[in-house]
Amino acid sequence: MAPLGSNFARTIAYSRDPQQIAHHVPPRTFIVAEAGVNHNGSTERAMAMVRAAATAGADAVKFQSFRTELEVTRTAPKADYQARNTGDAGSQFAMLKALELSEPDQRALMDACAAAGIEFMSTPFDPVSAAFLIGAPAVKRLKVASGELTNGPLLLQLARSGKPIVLSTGMADLDDVRAALAVLAFGYASPPDKKPSPAAFENALASPAGRTALRANVTLLHCTSDYPAPPNSINLRAMDTLAETFGLAVGLSDHSLGIAVAIAAVARGAAMIEKHFTIDRALPGPDHAASLTTAELAEMVAAIRTVELAFGDGRKLPAAAERPTRVVARKSLVALAPIRAGEAFSTANLGAKRPGHGVTPMLYWSYLGRPSPRAYAADDLIDPFD
């Protein structure tokens, strides 16, 4: 594999041009309310989560699509966080089997999303579920979970669909991300009959067509795969590294508690925020403990939209809202004591006081020693010289 300092990284590196940054207005952050498996296998609860996400103002609500038999072996252990959050160190198989949503259930959720005015998203974990989502007109984009980042066959299947992909990068280093992008570039840019191979993936990644396809279709999500993720494990600066290295839109799949980290990520330029939420944090299940309540989800969305309003366009100019304050808060040259006509301005009789609609005190030294053209009473604003 070529090093990260390869031609690919240099060609599509994120721009640090100060002029572009100064006058760039960041786009609206795409907010994904991650329902995941917090419905606990209940279609009714999943429907309620659709309505809650829409009410909160999220752009999309995301579920998980899987057939347990195709995703895990019957003896696969739970992740540490799953065992910790469920209080059970049993198998993943038993846990996930109880959390499946059938294809008819998912179609019903797609219809519910359309009625609520929110985008339906889901993460596939096996080729059958991927094919189902690929074939669903309601699915506008596909999400790749962090655990599937190294699942080359699934990545290729998703890219060959032509649909945009959101790629989570939890547990990954830059080489892992680069290898996944190589497969995606091949899937997007190569003809269907071209044989996959590591060399073909690398060639696609280095090709103009592959780079263009990635720019047009792929969003990278920085992620820490722990639930909940402690703040000192988040490493928001890794978003910058991903953007600089791969030149793609970057966001955050946030597993920390609360909303502070997600808001900080938006302030750092995140194009997308994905955040777990739940109807009831006290419910049993692997992800509830690290999820927002519906009220917190609405608070996060509102805070993100406020941050976006605060971005501005980067030009340093007086804001319209502060222009009236400028007259009140700034100062003008004034007479500190009565000044006779013809008397020289001096440090004893000339100073600066509010309001600020007179001569700027920046001209103070230009007045010193010059004769006053007229008489002034104390606190009179000084006239400008012709």
Side-chain angles (χ1 to χ4, degrees):
M1 179 177 290
L4 288 169
S6 66
N7 184 60
F8 169 71
R10 289 196 301 270
T11 302
I12 64 172
Y14 175 71
S15 172
R16 286 290 189 179
D17 183 336
Q19 291 300 316
Q20 291 184 21
I21 293 172
H23 301 296
H24 173 63
V25 180
R28 189 174 188 266
T29 308
F30 192 86
I31 301 175
V32 180
E34 168 70 273
V37 293
N38 280 347
H39 49 72
N40 284 18
S42 165
T43 308
E44 291 73 20
R45 186 175 288 118
M47 291 288 189
M49 297 186 82
V50 167
R51 295 189 293 271
T55 300
D59 296 292
V61 58
K62 191 181 79 63
F63 295 91
Q64 295 180 9
S65 300
F66 56 90
R67 296 193 180 184
T68 308
E69 292 82 358
L70 301 177
E71 183 182 358
V72 298
T73 66
R74 291 182 180 273
T75 58
K78 290 181 178 178
D80 287 346
Y81 82 87
Q82 292 172 334
R84 182 173 66 245
N85 292 342
T86 61
D88 176 16
S91 70
Q92 278 197 66
F93 189 96
M95 177 186 71
L96 293 175
K97 192 64 180 173
L99 301 174
E100 283 188 23
L101 290 174
S102 68
E103 290 184 3
D105 289 341
Q106 292 177 72
R107 290 191 188 96
L109 289 172
M110 293 175 194
D111 292 340
C113 285
I118 189 169
E119 182 178 330
F120 174 91
M121 288 180 63
S122 191
T123 301
F125 289 86
D126 61 79
V128 173
S129 298
F132 167 69
L133 294 175
I134 288 168
V139 177
K140 298 179 181 178
R141 70 195 85 213
L142 301 162
K143 170 68 193 299
V144 177
S146 293
E148 305 303 316
L149 184 75
T150 58
N151 187 348
L154 182 66
L155 294 174
L156 182 56
Q157 180 186 8
L158 297 179
R160 279 182 165 166
S161 74
K163 289 188 175 183
I165 288 174
V166 179
L167 184 68
S168 271
T169 62
M171 305 173 288
D173 60 23
L174 288 175
D175 285 343
D176 292 330
V177 178
R178 189 177 190 281
L181 291 175
V183 177
L184 295 182
F186 177 85
Y188 279 125
S190 300
D193 59 350
K194 187 172 180 62
K195 184 179 179 180
S197 70
F201 299 154
E202 282 295 307
N203 289 337
L205 185 62
S207 70
R211 294 196 299 267
T212 298
L214 291 178
R215 283 198 199 98
N217 291 292
V218 177
T219 299
L220 296 174
L221 295 187
H222 174 55
C223 176
T224 301
S225 295
D226 195 12
Y227 304 78
N232 62 358
S233 73
I234 301 298
N235 190 18
L236 284 179
R237 289 192 176 102
M239 290 170 50
D240 303 339
T241 301
L242 288 170
E244 291 166 354
T245 303
F246 300 113
L248 304 177
V250 174
L252 179 71
S253 180
D254 179 27
H255 298 148
S256 68
L257 295 176
I259 65 175
V261 169
I263 295 167
V266 172
R268 291 188 68 85
M272 180 180 291
I273 293 292
E274 179 184 80
K275 186 77 173 176
H276 281 269
F277 79 106
T278 179
I279 296 293
D280 183 355
R281 195 180 282 138
L283 287 168
D287 297 335
H288 293 284
S291 300
L292 300 178
T293 65
T294 54
E296 290 168 336
L297 176 65
E299 182 184 1
M300 183 192 78
V301 173
I304 287 173
R305 299 305 178 218
T306 298
V307 168
E308 290 170 340
L309 290 174
F311 280 142
D313 61 10
R315 295 176 295 170
K316 182 54 183 169
L317 295 170
E322 68 180 343
R323 284 173 186 152
T325 307
R326 182 164 57 177
V327 174
V328 176
R330 288 186 174 180
K331 295 180 178 178
S332 303
L333 290 180
V334 300
L336 297 180
I339 301 174
R340 299 183 305 275
E343 181 182 350
F345 289 111
S346 68
T347 57
N349 63 23
L350 185 66
K353 292 185 181 182
R354 294 175 178 174
H357 58 261
V359 175
T360 173
M362 297 298 286
L363 296 177
Y364 175 77
W365 298 274
S366 301
Y367 277 72
L368 293 180
R370 298 179 66 175
S372 173
R374 69 175 182 88
Y376 291 98
D379 277 351
D380 281 353
L381 269 65
I382 302 301
D383 297 330
F385 277 116
D386 293 333

